[in-house]
Amino acid sequence: EMSDDERHFQDKVDANIKVEPRDWMPDDYRKTLIRQIGQHAHSEIVGQLPEGNWITRAPTLERKAILLAKVQDEAGHGLYLYCAAETLGVTRDDLTEKLLSGRMKYSSIFNYPTLTWADMGAVGWLVDGAAIMNQVPLQRTSYGPYSRAMVRICKEESFHQRQGYAIMMKMAQGSAAQRKMAQDALNRMWYPSLMMFGPSDKDSVHSAQSMAWKIKINTNDELRQKFVNETVPQAEYLGLTIPDENLKFNEETGNYDFSQPDWDEFFEVLKGNGPCNTDRLNARRKAWDDGAWVREGLLAHAEKRAAAKVA
Ligand code: 3HC
């Protein structure tokens, strides 16, 4: 049975009135938002590592500049999202400590390696493409600060996806060796990209409640299907083959039928046993330790300034 507060809150959500930081909200609404926004922010920051690996190896100065701009954008996305999470009463340090101690997640996709330049194309095309599928509906999420952060982030994501697809076009229409690299990148990134949308709806522990509170607007399977439907023609245009022999357009449903990713692999990656989990967390721990002197200096300076004001 709902309390008056809960009833009033649900009526507001049902009427698509945004929930703002100072409004009353159920504790579990606050908790699941801190979990989702915090992990979304962690995904942006950890997500810089696979592409950062190629900034010094880009094939041309132009490509280097584009990749640098994209990785810089991701840092900004992380900051918008940490700020949105802070409006719920947590600190960025607290969220970072939970990431580094393995108590908070980041998107599974970033635990896969980026082995060739073509991976920069596949990441922009598929990973940012999947992120767009997931983030566009989130612009309508019920929590005001999260919804507004999504509006800003989505504006930049289309550039991320387009620059990746442009790399794939260059490689797919290039030499035989380049075409082979592009196909290899698609082969390795396809199923991990499908995993980005989360477990199938029947295995999703949060979806029902997140849909009722309009935190989640579409189910995991709906968005995964939409991603496949939009991406298959793009692969065909490139002359590349999606590594799924069951992929077939279904005239009745108007959707592509496709093979599910290996969910055992997915849950192994979530447990920390993916190809790059250790490297990614070590890189974030090192960045945190290497930045300590800056944080301490800034705090000491701020205290001195505050003391001077009092005196
Ligand atoms: N990677 C890691 N963990 C995942 C995951 C994935 N791909 N998919 C699901 N999970 C986790 C969930 O976090 C949850 O674990 P938790 O309780 O410890 O948080 C568990 O698996 C069960 O999944 P549910 O479907 O029940 O969980 P959600 O309702 O939270 O749905 C989600 C998962 C669809 C990822 C949802 O949280 C979401 O939409 N998050 C916001 C978007 C986001 O985080 N996208 C990640 C990519 S952002 C990005 O790629 C940056 C871009 O610039 C490239």
PDB file of all heavy atoms in Angstrom, residues 137-164:
ATOM      1  N   PRO A 137      16.496   7.918 -25.359  1.00  0.00           N
ATOM      2  CA  PRO A 137      15.284   7.824 -24.522  1.00  0.00           C
ATOM      3  C   PRO A 137      15.509   8.379 -23.106  1.00  0.00           C
ATOM      4  O   PRO A 137      14.605   8.929 -22.487  1.00  0.00           O
ATOM      5  CB  PRO A 137      15.002   6.320 -24.452  1.00  0.00           C
ATOM      6  CG  PRO A 137      15.779   5.696 -25.542  1.00  0.00           C
ATOM      7  CD  PRO A 137      16.934   6.599 -25.833  1.00  0.00           C
ATOM      8  N   LEU A 138      16.768   8.274 -22.621  1.00  0.00           N
ATOM      9  CA  LEU A 138      17.055   8.735 -21.255  1.00  0.00           C
ATOM     10  C   LEU A 138      16.918  10.260 -21.129  1.00  0.00           C
ATOM     11  O   LEU A 138      16.876  10.798 -20.037  1.00  0.00           O
ATOM     12  CB  LEU A 138      18.474   8.313 -20.833  1.00  0.00           C
ATOM     13  CG  LEU A 138      18.610   6.903 -20.263  1.00  0.00           C
ATOM     14  CD1 LEU A 138      20.075   6.584 -19.971  1.00  0.00           C
ATOM     15  CD2 LEU A 138      17.784   6.748 -18.992  1.00  0.00           C
ATOM     16  N   GLN A 139      16.820  10.960 -22.265  1.00  0.00           N
ATOM     17  CA  GLN A 139      16.583  12.417 -22.178  1.00  0.00           C
ATOM     18  C   GLN A 139      15.229  12.679 -21.521  1.00  0.00           C
ATOM     19  O   GLN A 139      14.968  13.735 -20.995  1.00  0.00           O
ATOM     20  CB  GLN A 139      16.618  13.049 -23.576  1.00  0.00           C
ATOM     21  CG  GLN A 139      17.984  12.990 -24.242  1.00  0.00           C
ATOM     22  CD  GLN A 139      17.950  13.516 -25.676  1.00  0.00           C
ATOM     23  OE1 GLN A 139      18.503  14.564 -25.974  1.00  0.00           O
ATOM     24  NE2 GLN A 139      17.303  12.795 -26.565  1.00  0.00           N
ATOM     25  N   ARG A 140      14.338  11.681 -21.554  1.00  0.00           N
ATOM     26  CA  ARG A 140      12.984  11.833 -20.995  1.00  0.00           C
ATOM     27  C   ARG A 140      12.874  11.185 -19.606  1.00  0.00           C
ATOM     28  O   ARG A 140      11.775  11.021 -19.081  1.00  0.00           O
ATOM     29  CB  ARG A 140      11.950  11.211 -21.938  1.00  0.00           C
ATOM     30  CG  ARG A 140      11.948  11.857 -23.334  1.00  0.00           C
ATOM     31  CD  ARG A 140      10.685  11.569 -24.102  1.00  0.00           C
ATOM     32  NE  ARG A 140      10.312  10.146 -24.090  1.00  0.00           N
ATOM     33  CZ  ARG A 140      10.852   9.236 -24.919  1.00  0.00           C
ATOM     34  NH1 ARG A 140      11.794   9.603 -25.767  1.00  0.00           N
ATOM     35  NH2 ARG A 140      10.476   7.995 -24.874  1.00  0.00           N
ATOM     36  N   THR A 141      14.018  10.829 -19.012  1.00  0.00           N
ATOM     37  CA  THR A 141      13.982  10.172 -17.702  1.00  0.00           C
ATOM     38  C   THR A 141      13.373  11.109 -16.653  1.00  0.00           C
ATOM     39  O   THR A 141      13.438  12.334 -16.792  1.00  0.00           O
ATOM     40  CB  THR A 141      15.407   9.717 -17.316  1.00  0.00           C
ATOM     41  OG1 THR A 141      15.332   8.838 -16.203  1.00  0.00           O
ATOM     42  CG2 THR A 141      16.291  10.884 -16.952  1.00  0.00           C
ATOM     43  N   SER A 142      12.777  10.533 -15.616  1.00  0.00           N
ATOM     44  CA  SER A 142      11.972  11.349 -14.683  1.00  0.00           C
ATOM     45  C   SER A 142      12.829  12.271 -13.808  1.00  0.00           C
ATOM     46  O   SER A 142      12.317  13.278 -13.303  1.00  0.00           O
ATOM     47  CB  SER A 142      11.136  10.436 -13.781  1.00  0.00           C
ATOM     48  OG  SER A 142      11.979   9.509 -13.110  1.00  0.00           O
ATOM     49  N   TYR A 143      14.112  11.995 -13.622  1.00  0.00           N
ATOM     50  CA  TYR A 143      14.905  12.836 -12.714  1.00  0.00           C
ATOM     51  C   TYR A 143      15.514  14.016 -13.487  1.00  0.00           C
ATOM     52  O   TYR A 143      16.377  13.816 -14.357  1.00  0.00           O
ATOM     53  CB  TYR A 143      15.994  12.009 -12.007  1.00  0.00           C
ATOM     54  CG  TYR A 143      16.709  12.810 -10.922  1.00  0.00           C
ATOM     55  CD1 TYR A 143      15.988  13.404  -9.890  1.00  0.00           C
ATOM     56  CD2 TYR A 143      18.082  13.003 -10.951  1.00  0.00           C
ATOM     57  CE1 TYR A 143      16.616  14.169  -8.917  1.00  0.00           C
ATOM     58  CE2 TYR A 143      18.723  13.757  -9.987  1.00  0.00           C
ATOM     59  CZ  TYR A 143      17.992  14.353  -8.965  1.00  0.00           C
ATOM     60  OH  TYR A 143      18.624  15.117  -8.010  1.00  0.00           O
ATOM     61  N   GLY A 144      15.140  15.223 -13.166  1.00  0.00           N
ATOM     62  CA  GLY A 144      15.525  16.447 -13.887  1.00  0.00           C
ATOM     63  C   GLY A 144      16.996  16.549 -14.236  1.00  0.00           C
ATOM     64  O   GLY A 144      17.362  16.604 -15.428  1.00  0.00           O
ATOM     65  N   PRO A 145      17.896  16.529 -13.228  1.00  0.00           N
ATOM     66  CA  PRO A 145      19.319  16.703 -13.542  1.00  0.00           C
ATOM     67  C   PRO A 145      19.879  15.634 -14.489  1.00  0.00           C
ATOM     68  O   PRO A 145      20.707  15.921 -15.337  1.00  0.00           O
ATOM     69  CB  PRO A 145      19.979  16.632 -12.159  1.00  0.00           C
ATOM     70  CG  PRO A 145      18.925  17.114 -11.216  1.00  0.00           C
ATOM     71  CD  PRO A 145      17.641  16.593 -11.770  1.00  0.00           C
ATOM     72  N   TYR A 146      19.379  14.402 -14.387  1.00  0.00           N
ATOM     73  CA  TYR A 146      19.857  13.315 -15.270  1.00  0.00           C
ATOM     74  C   TYR A 146      19.339  13.560 -16.691  1.00  0.00           C
ATOM     75  O   TYR A 146      20.083  13.471 -17.666  1.00  0.00           O
ATOM     76  CB  TYR A 146      19.342  11.978 -14.730  1.00  0.00           C
ATOM     77  CG  TYR A 146      19.964  10.728 -15.329  1.00  0.00           C
ATOM     78  CD1 TYR A 146      21.238  10.725 -15.912  1.00  0.00           C
ATOM     79  CD2 TYR A 146      19.274   9.516 -15.280  1.00  0.00           C
ATOM     80  CE1 TYR A 146      21.796   9.569 -16.421  1.00  0.00           C
ATOM     81  CE2 TYR A 146      19.838   8.339 -15.792  1.00  0.00           C
ATOM     82  CZ  TYR A 146      21.095   8.382 -16.366  1.00  0.00           C
ATOM     83  OH  TYR A 146      21.656   7.218 -16.879  1.00  0.00           O
ATOM     84  N   SER A 147      18.072  13.938 -16.784  1.00  0.00           N
ATOM     85  CA  SER A 147      17.466  14.186 -18.099  1.00  0.00           C
ATOM     86  C   SER A 147      18.196  15.326 -18.807  1.00  0.00           C
ATOM     87  O   SER A 147      18.537  15.234 -19.987  1.00  0.00           O
ATOM     88  CB  SER A 147      15.981  14.520 -17.882  1.00  0.00           C
ATOM     89  OG  SER A 147      15.517  15.456 -18.813  1.00  0.00           O
ATOM     90  N   ARG A 148      18.513  16.400 -18.063  1.00  0.00           N
ATOM     91  CA  ARG A 148      19.184  17.552 -18.698  1.00  0.00           C
ATOM     92  C   ARG A 148      20.625  17.194 -19.106  1.00  0.00           C
ATOM     93  O   ARG A 148      21.110  17.622 -20.154  1.00  0.00           O
ATOM     94  CB  ARG A 148      19.132  18.752 -17.756  1.00  0.00           C
ATOM     95  CG  ARG A 148      17.704  19.291 -17.570  1.00  0.00           C
ATOM     96  CD  ARG A 148      17.660  20.603 -16.788  1.00  0.00           C
ATOM     97  NE  ARG A 148      17.961  20.430 -15.376  1.00  0.00           N
ATOM     98  CZ  ARG A 148      17.059  20.122 -14.448  1.00  0.00           C
ATOM     99  NH1 ARG A 148      15.802  19.911 -14.787  1.00  0.00           N
ATOM    100  NH2 ARG A 148      17.412  20.001 -13.177  1.00  0.00           N
ATOM    101  N   ALA A 149      21.294  16.353 -18.280  1.00  0.00           N
ATOM    102  CA  ALA A 149      22.655  15.929 -18.645  1.00  0.00           C
ATOM    103  C   ALA A 149      22.600  15.125 -19.937  1.00  0.00           C
ATOM    104  O   ALA A 149      23.451  15.269 -20.825  1.00  0.00           O
ATOM    105  CB  ALA A 149      23.256  15.086 -17.516  1.00  0.00           C
ATOM    106  N   MET A 150      21.554  14.302 -20.073  1.00  0.00           N
ATOM    107  CA  MET A 150      21.424  13.448 -21.272  1.00  0.00           C
ATOM    108  C   MET A 150      21.221  14.306 -22.518  1.00  0.00           C
ATOM    109  O   MET A 150      21.764  13.997 -23.594  1.00  0.00           O
ATOM    110  CB  MET A 150      20.228  12.498 -21.111  1.00  0.00           C
ATOM    111  CG  MET A 150      20.547  11.254 -20.318  1.00  0.00           C
ATOM    112  SD  MET A 150      21.807  10.239 -21.101  1.00  0.00           S
ATOM    113  CE  MET A 150      23.220  10.664 -20.128  1.00  0.00           C
ATOM    114  N   VAL A 151      20.471  15.408 -22.405  1.00  0.00           N
ATOM    115  CA  VAL A 151      20.226  16.259 -23.578  1.00  0.00           C
ATOM    116  C   VAL A 151      21.563  16.774 -24.100  1.00  0.00           C
ATOM    117  O   VAL A 151      21.870  16.683 -25.292  1.00  0.00           O
ATOM    118  CB  VAL A 151      19.277  17.430 -23.216  1.00  0.00           C
ATOM    119  CG1 VAL A 151      19.231  18.459 -24.343  1.00  0.00           C
ATOM    120  CG2 VAL A 151      17.884  16.897 -22.903  1.00  0.00           C
ATOM    121  N   ARG A 152      22.410  17.232 -23.177  1.00  0.00           N
ATOM    122  CA  ARG A 152      23.725  17.778 -23.597  1.00  0.00           C
ATOM    123  C   ARG A 152      24.600  16.668 -24.178  1.00  0.00           C
ATOM    124  O   ARG A 152      25.229  16.831 -25.225  1.00  0.00           O
ATOM    125  CB  ARG A 152      24.440  18.392 -22.404  1.00  0.00           C
ATOM    126  CG  ARG A 152      23.862  19.732 -21.987  1.00  0.00           C
ATOM    127  CD  ARG A 152      24.779  20.477 -21.039  1.00  0.00           C
ATOM    128  NE  ARG A 152      26.055  20.818 -21.688  1.00  0.00           N
ATOM    129  CZ  ARG A 152      27.004  21.520 -21.039  1.00  0.00           C
ATOM    130  NH1 ARG A 152      26.807  21.895 -19.802  1.00  0.00           N
ATOM    131  NH2 ARG A 152      28.130  21.804 -21.645  1.00  0.00           N
ATOM    132  N   ILE A 153      24.605  15.513 -23.515  1.00  0.00           N
ATOM    133  CA  ILE A 153      25.480  14.407 -23.944  1.00  0.00           C
ATOM    134  C   ILE A 153      25.066  13.897 -25.321  1.00  0.00           C
ATOM    135  O   ILE A 153      25.904  13.666 -26.199  1.00  0.00           O
ATOM    136  CB  ILE A 153      25.464  13.279 -22.891  1.00  0.00           C
ATOM    137  CG1 ILE A 153      26.285  13.718 -21.669  1.00  0.00           C
ATOM    138  CG2 ILE A 153      25.988  11.967 -23.458  1.00  0.00           C
ATOM    139  CD1 ILE A 153      26.226  12.777 -20.490  1.00  0.00           C
ATOM    140  N   CYS A 154      23.765  13.783 -25.555  1.00  0.00           N
ATOM    141  CA  CYS A 154      23.297  13.233 -26.845  1.00  0.00           C
ATOM    142  C   CYS A 154      23.721  14.119 -28.009  1.00  0.00           C
ATOM    143  O   CYS A 154      24.016  13.616 -29.099  1.00  0.00           O
ATOM    144  CB  CYS A 154      21.776  13.058 -26.832  1.00  0.00           C
ATOM    145  SG  CYS A 154      21.294  11.652 -25.823  1.00  0.00           S
ATOM    146  N   LYS A 155      23.830  15.426 -27.778  1.00  0.00           N
ATOM    147  CA  LYS A 155      24.250  16.319 -28.867  1.00  0.00           C
ATOM    148  C   LYS A 155      25.646  15.930 -29.348  1.00  0.00           C
ATOM    149  O   LYS A 155      25.957  15.993 -30.526  1.00  0.00           O
ATOM    150  CB  LYS A 155      24.254  17.784 -28.392  1.00  0.00           C
ATOM    151  CG  LYS A 155      22.868  18.403 -28.227  1.00  0.00           C
ATOM    152  CD  LYS A 155      22.964  19.891 -27.977  1.00  0.00           C
ATOM    153  CE  LYS A 155      21.688  20.664 -27.794  1.00  0.00           C
ATOM    154  NZ  LYS A 155      20.452  19.968 -27.562  1.00  0.00           N
ATOM    155  N   GLU A 156      26.515  15.516 -28.440  1.00  0.00           N
ATOM    156  CA  GLU A 156      27.899  15.199 -28.817  1.00  0.00           C
ATOM    157  C   GLU A 156      28.043  13.758 -29.304  1.00  0.00           C
ATOM    158  O   GLU A 156      28.932  13.436 -30.094  1.00  0.00           O
ATOM    159  CB  GLU A 156      28.836  15.473 -27.631  1.00  0.00           C
ATOM    160  CG  GLU A 156      28.928  16.960 -27.334  1.00  0.00           C
ATOM    161  CD  GLU A 156      29.663  17.277 -26.039  1.00  0.00           C
ATOM    162  OE1 GLU A 156      29.753  16.394 -25.164  1.00  0.00           O
ATOM    163  OE2 GLU A 156      30.143  18.407 -25.915  1.00  0.00           O
ATOM    164  N   GLU A 157      27.146  12.876 -28.855  1.00  0.00           N
ATOM    165  CA  GLU A 157      27.293  11.447 -29.196  1.00  0.00           C
ATOM    166  C   GLU A 157      27.180  11.220 -30.703  1.00  0.00           C
ATOM    167  O   GLU A 157      27.827  10.339 -31.258  1.00  0.00           O
ATOM    168  CB  GLU A 157      26.220  10.599 -28.500  1.00  0.00           C
ATOM    169  CG  GLU A 157      26.416  10.378 -27.032  1.00  0.00           C
ATOM    170  CD  GLU A 157      27.661   9.547 -26.673  1.00  0.00           C
ATOM    171  OE1 GLU A 157      28.473   9.218 -27.559  1.00  0.00           O
ATOM    172  OE2 GLU A 157      27.839   9.243 -25.489  1.00  0.00           O
ATOM    173  N   SER A 158      26.354  12.035 -31.403  1.00  0.00           N
ATOM    174  CA  SER A 158      26.192  11.757 -32.837  1.00  0.00           C
ATOM    175  C   SER A 158      27.509  12.009 -33.558  1.00  0.00           C
ATOM    176  O   SER A 158      27.884  11.243 -34.452  1.00  0.00           O
ATOM    177  CB  SER A 158      25.063  12.601 -33.434  1.00  0.00           C
ATOM    178  OG  SER A 158      25.089  13.882 -32.868  1.00  0.00           O
ATOM    179  N   PHE A 159      28.265  13.024 -33.111  1.00  0.00           N
ATOM    180  CA  PHE A 159      29.608  13.238 -33.711  1.00  0.00           C
ATOM    181  C   PHE A 159      30.480  12.011 -33.448  1.00  0.00           C
ATOM    182  O   PHE A 159      31.194  11.517 -34.319  1.00  0.00           O
ATOM    183  CB  PHE A 159      30.231  14.511 -33.125  1.00  0.00           C
ATOM    184  CG  PHE A 159      31.746  14.487 -32.974  1.00  0.00           C
ATOM    185  CD1 PHE A 159      32.569  14.355 -34.080  1.00  0.00           C
ATOM    186  CD2 PHE A 159      32.332  14.573 -31.712  1.00  0.00           C
ATOM    187  CE1 PHE A 159      33.963  14.318 -33.932  1.00  0.00           C
ATOM    188  CE2 PHE A 159      33.717  14.539 -31.565  1.00  0.00           C
ATOM    189  CZ  PHE A 159      34.538  14.401 -32.679  1.00  0.00           C
ATOM    190  N   HIS A 160      30.395  11.449 -32.214  1.00  0.00           N
ATOM    191  CA  HIS A 160      31.221  10.286 -31.862  1.00  0.00           C
ATOM    192  C   HIS A 160      30.913   9.121 -32.813  1.00  0.00           C
ATOM    193  O   HIS A 160      31.813   8.428 -33.294  1.00  0.00           O
ATOM    194  CB  HIS A 160      30.944   9.854 -30.422  1.00  0.00           C
ATOM    195  CG  HIS A 160      31.337  10.910 -29.429  1.00  0.00           C
ATOM    196  ND1 HIS A 160      31.070  10.794 -28.083  1.00  0.00           N
ATOM    197  CD2 HIS A 160      31.949  12.123 -29.584  1.00  0.00           C
ATOM    198  CE1 HIS A 160      31.534  11.856 -27.442  1.00  0.00           C
ATOM    199  NE2 HIS A 160      32.057  12.677 -28.335  1.00  0.00           N
ATOM    200  N   GLN A 161      29.636   8.920 -33.049  1.00  0.00           N
ATOM    201  CA  GLN A 161      29.247   7.777 -33.892  1.00  0.00           C
ATOM    202  C   GLN A 161      29.653   8.028 -35.338  1.00  0.00           C
ATOM    203  O   GLN A 161      30.216   7.142 -35.999  1.00  0.00           O
ATOM    204  CB  GLN A 161      27.722   7.591 -33.789  1.00  0.00           C
ATOM    205  CG  GLN A 161      27.237   6.219 -34.163  1.00  0.00           C
ATOM    206  CD  GLN A 161      26.713   6.166 -35.596  1.00  0.00           C
ATOM    207  OE1 GLN A 161      26.774   7.167 -36.318  1.00  0.00           O
ATOM    208  NE2 GLN A 161      26.256   5.003 -36.005  1.00  0.00           N
ATOM    209  N   ARG A 162      29.461   9.271 -35.829  1.00  0.00           N
ATOM    210  CA  ARG A 162      29.767   9.562 -37.229  1.00  0.00           C
ATOM    211  C   ARG A 162      31.268   9.434 -37.506  1.00  0.00           C
ATOM    212  O   ARG A 162      31.669   8.888 -38.530  1.00  0.00           O
ATOM    213  CB  ARG A 162      29.324  10.980 -37.624  1.00  0.00           C
ATOM    214  CG  ARG A 162      27.853  11.290 -37.548  1.00  0.00           C
ATOM    215  CD  ARG A 162      26.944  10.278 -38.184  1.00  0.00           C
ATOM    216  NE  ARG A 162      27.256  10.004 -39.598  1.00  0.00           N
ATOM    217  CZ  ARG A 162      26.909   8.885 -40.209  1.00  0.00           C
ATOM    218  NH1 ARG A 162      26.252   7.952 -39.536  1.00  0.00           N
ATOM    219  NH2 ARG A 162      27.194   8.664 -41.464  1.00  0.00           N
ATOM    220  N   GLN A 163      32.098   9.921 -36.567  1.00  0.00           N
ATOM    221  CA  GLN A 163      33.539   9.843 -36.851  1.00  0.00           C
ATOM    222  C   GLN A 163      34.001   8.388 -36.882  1.00  0.00           C
ATOM    223  O   GLN A 163      34.873   8.006 -37.638  1.00  0.00           O
ATOM    224  CB  GLN A 163      34.348  10.696 -35.855  1.00  0.00           C
ATOM    225  CG  GLN A 163      34.300  10.297 -34.392  1.00  0.00           C
ATOM    226  CD  GLN A 163      35.248   9.180 -34.039  1.00  0.00           C
ATOM    227  OE1 GLN A 163      36.355   9.076 -34.584  1.00  0.00           O
ATOM    228  NE2 GLN A 163      34.778   8.291 -33.161  1.00  0.00           N
ATOM    229  N   GLY A 164      33.359   7.534 -36.044  1.00  0.00           N
ATOM    230  CA  GLY A 164      33.726   6.101 -36.047  1.00  0.00           C
ATOM    231  C   GLY A 164      33.313   5.441 -37.355  1.00  0.00           C
ATOM    232  O   GLY A 164      34.076   4.694 -37.968  1.00  0.00           O
TER     233      GLY A 164
END
